[in-house]
Amino acid sequence: AMYRAGDLELARELFATAAGRAKAGVAARSMYNRGTTSYAESLRAMQQAGAAAQPDPAAQQAVIDTLERSLRELKDAARADPANVDARANAELAYRVLKDLKKQQDQQKHQQQKRQQHQMMQQQQQNKQAQSKHLQPLLKLLVQSNCQAISISN
């Protein structure tokens, strides 16, 4: 009932309680329902994260954590009831989505590192230009002083 009402967190907790207290068949079904609920939570979190203008690394990590939990729970359900093909299929689906998200996260980290390196190079170049700009008048004075010193000694 909590699952259908959209209270996925409470539904997952109730399924976990049932899995620990029930007989083998009901416990296996509760494990499956708990894993499916975790998967639904991750889908909801992915939709919310996808609606944001900028990807939030913390939100992405939360989705990955929830998918990892879902995968563990669905594997537990498949071990508890090897005949439950839905548990195996959903575990495979969770694994694929998790793999894609981790790949996307790695690509974003790589792009962020490249942007940071580019910014550092630009900053270094600006610093060199600023140094050069400040040193030019000094060099000009030095050259003039040397020219005057040479003309005085002649």
Side-chain angles (χ1 to χ4, degrees):
M2 293 296 115
Y3 182 85
R4 288 188 188 111
D7 192 346
L8 300 178
E9 188 174 334
L10 180 58
R12 187 174 36 78
E13 290 174 20
L14 292 172
F15 288 134
T17 301
R21 294 183 181 170
K23 292 183 180 181
V26 174
R29 191 70 185 160
S30 292
M31 288 178 199
Y32 169 75
N33 288 337
R34 186 179 67 203
T36 302
T37 302
S38 292
Y39 185 73
E41 283 179 317
S42 65
L43 291 179
R44 182 184 289 171
M46 282 177 19
Q47 288 175 337
Q48 290 170 350
Q54 288 287 343
D56 177 17
Q60 284 180 321
Q61 188 58 49
V63 170
I64 288 172
D65 293 345
T66 305
L67 275 169
E68 287 174 340
R69 183 181 65 222
S70 173
L71 181 58
R72 281 190 310 272
E73 292 167 346
L74 289 165
K75 284 182 176 181
D76 289 346
R79 279 195 281 295
D81 181 6
N84 187 342
V85 293
D86 290 337
R88 286 195 307 264
N90 287 352
E92 178 64 28
L93 183 59
Y95 171 78
R96 288 180 184 177
V97 172
L98 181 61
K99 184 178 166 184
D100 289 345
L101 279 178
K102 284 184 175 184
K103 183 179 177 182
Q104 183 182 38
Q105 187 182 45
D106 288 342
Q107 288 172 343
Q108 287 174 346
K109 284 180 183 178
H110 181 70
Q111 288 173 348
Q112 179 66 23
Q113 288 171 344
K114 284 177 78 174
R115 279 193 297 271
Q116 288 173 343
Q117 286 175 342
H118 181 71
Q119 287 173 347
M120 284 176 42
M121 290 175 62
Q122 282 182 326
Q123 186 63 43
Q124 288 172 348
Q125 188 176 11
Q126 289 172 355
N127 290 345
K128 285 180 184 179
Q129 289 173 348
Q131 275 182 333
S132 176
K133 198 178 210 181
H134 292 314
L135 289 177
Q136 282 178 349
L138 292 174
L139 288 173
K140 190 174 182 179
L141 280 173
L142 185 60
V143 169
Q144 288 175 350
S145 298
N146 284 338
C147 288
Q148 289 174 355
I150 292 173
S151 60
I152 294 173
S153 60
N154 284 340

